[in-house]
Amino acid sequence: LLMLDQPACEYCALWDAEVGSVYAKTAEGRQAPLIRHPIHSAPLDGVALVRPARYTPTFILLSNGAEVGRIEGYPGESFFYGLLQNLLTKADQPAQKGEK
């Protein structure tokens, strides 16, 4: 799970306070370990995004370096985990006809 953030992002700080300290200990954190990266830095090598991120935080679920889906912004702890579960489920499903 790639988290794009920036200094002085109050929603990034809120995510840190509500989720960040325990994320690695959750089932989701074990399935999708967190990689933090500044939003305005050069893209990470080997990562293919569908489109550039514009908001912080943006959470991008990657599979073999390719974007599966994203959560733009931080909607609160319970919504975050629900949205992340949807992305993790999507990542586990085989591609449908016509999908890459």
Side-chain angles (χ1 to χ4, degrees):
L1 183 66
L2 175 62
M3 177 184 181
L4 299 175
D5 60 8
Q6 65 181 331
C9 167
E10 62 185 78
Y11 290 102
C12 299
L14 184 58
W15 184 87
D16 286 339
E18 294 181 351
V19 177
S21 62
V22 297
Y23 178 76
K25 299 173 187 172
T26 65
E28 295 85 355
R30 289 187 297 276
Q31 188 174 355
L34 187 70
I35 301 166
R36 290 183 86 128
H37 189 71
I39 192 168
H40 298 298
S41 293
L44 293 171
D45 289 337
V47 172
L49 301 181
V50 172
R51 66 185 187 284
R54 300 191 192 282
Y55 309 102
T56 57
T58 294
F59 301 90
I60 302 172
L61 184 63
L62 301 169
S63 178
N64 298 317
E67 180 176 338
V68 172
R70 63 176 64 192
I71 302 167
E72 294 178 313
Y74 175 61
E77 181 179 5
S78 59
F79 284 110
F80 171 78
Y81 280 111
L83 293 169
L84 181 55
Q85 273 300 323
N86 289 342
L87 292 179
L88 292 168
T89 299
K90 180 180 175 182
D92 286 340
Q93 294 176 353
Q96 300 295 319
K97 185 177 178 182
E99 289 184 352
K100 294 182 179 184

